[in-house]
Amino acid sequence: MCYYTDQVSSNKALEKRFKAQAKYDETMAQKGKISGFTRAALPVITQAKPSLIQLIPWGLIPAWASEQQAQELPQLTLNARSESLFEKASFEPSMLKQRCLVLVDGFYEWQQVGKEKIEYLIQLKEDGPFALAGIYAIWKNPRNLQWEPSFSIITTPANELMEEIHNTKKRMPLILSEEQERNWLAPISTEEIKSFFKPFKSSAMKAEKVHKGGEQTQLFA
């Protein structure tokens, strides 16, 4: 799964890496370890506006949601399983025309060792921000009639590295290579979308154990 990300890069670094313009004040962007359960907004590039980087809240609210559902669903839609994306009412409408890139510097996961949970920060060996595959929706708030976007991060079965770390659920976010990013935002068929649903290669990733004091020690290379 993926419920916590690491956000470090400046707007300038994101703009350079993703060749898009950040359309928000940098002081509005949270930095450091971010929990999806806080409804945090992360930098996202959408299929509708591929030249822009926007801050969008994490936890997808489908367009059809009632006001009550809009309060409850975000806690349940932080992630979307690749195996059932086209079967879930919350996600299926977004798959063909509302895909997005979620820009992160890393993500956190926990390894179960006996009764202990050991935290790891997972990044790419090639330092810098990278993209997770996501989907988004736009919900109209009936109270103020404002259109509110939100997103979910797609997950896949774990690769070898993530099987060792996330050793209970054995899941990981769908990481896109730089070559895949623009294709993910392009008009493509259902079968082409499904071809993306593969774990990222372990050899391009690294993981560091996070000590309670915040210090990190590299374990996997």
Side-chain angles (χ1 to χ4, degrees):
M1 310 309 285
C2 182
Y3 297 141
Y4 296 85
T5 66
D6 189 47
Q7 307 296 142
V8 178
S9 292
S10 65
N11 283 9
K12 185 176 180 180
L14 293 176
E15 289 176 334
K16 181 178 179 181
R17 165 62 177 78
F18 295 100
K19 298 177 176 60
Q21 184 179 3
K23 293 296 290 183
Y24 55 88
D25 189 312
E26 188 148 11
T27 60
M28 298 172 61
Q30 296 185 49
K31 301 294 184 183
K33 182 179 177 181
I34 306 297
S35 168
F37 296 104
T38 65
R39 286 287 283 155
L42 300 186
V44 171
I45 299 175
T46 68
Q47 201 171 359
K49 298 181 178 180
S51 63
L52 301 180
I53 303 173
Q54 306 175 66
L55 284 181
I56 296 179
W58 189 358
L60 186 143
I61 301 173
W64 48 258
S66 67
E67 191 172 357
Q68 179 63 34
Q69 289 171 320
Q71 297 297 316
E72 300 168 351
L73 279 172
Q75 300 292 314
L76 306 174
T77 58
L78 298 176
N79 292 167
R81 293 173 66 93
S82 61
E83 299 92 323
S84 57
L85 272 170
F86 287 96
E87 302 166 11
K88 300 288 187 180
S90 296
F91 304 132
E92 189 273 337
S94 297
M95 283 309 302
L96 288 177
K97 295 183 179 179
Q98 292 179 308
R99 296 185 302 279
C100 63
L101 306 178
V102 183
L103 315 185
V104 303
D105 292 278
F107 60 94
Y108 293 85
E109 200 49 81
W110 282 258
Q111 182 184 55
Q112 187 78 42
V113 180
K115 295 183 178 180
E116 184 181 7
K117 286 188 175 183
I118 301 173
E119 183 180 6
Y120 288 90
L121 170 62
I122 299 100
Q123 299 170 307
L124 300 191
K125 285 184 177 178
E126 185 177 336
D127 289 333
F130 56 97
L132 306 180
I135 54 176
Y136 67 99
I138 302 176
W139 177 73
K140 189 173 185 179
N141 189 323
R143 288 184 178 269
N144 57 22
L145 303 182
Q146 295 294 309
W147 294 97
E148 299 181 6
S150 57
F151 74 89
S152 179
I153 291 172
I154 297 173
T155 67
T156 69
N159 61 20
E160 296 88 348
L161 172 65
M162 292 306 300
E163 278 188 346
E164 188 169 350
I165 296 174
H166 197 203
N167 56 351
T168 54
K169 301 289 186 182
K170 297 188 177 182
R171 304 287 300 177
M172 67 180 291
L174 176 53
I175 301 171
L176 298 174
S177 68
E178 192 167 349
E179 294 73 26
Q180 290 177 311
E181 290 165 4
R182 289 298 159 181
N183 288 335
W184 180 251
L185 298 180
I188 53 178
S189 68
T190 297
E191 290 308 310
E192 288 173 311
I193 293 170
K194 290 180 178 179
S195 72
F196 283 84
F197 297 162
K198 299 172 184 176
F200 198 72
K201 56 186 179 181
S202 294
S203 60
M205 300 171 65
K206 61 183 180 181
E208 297 177 340
K209 185 183 293 186
V210 179
H211 294 283
K212 291 183 179 179
E215 180 187 351
Q216 297 168 0
T217 302
Q218 185 166 320
L219 181 65
F220 301 94

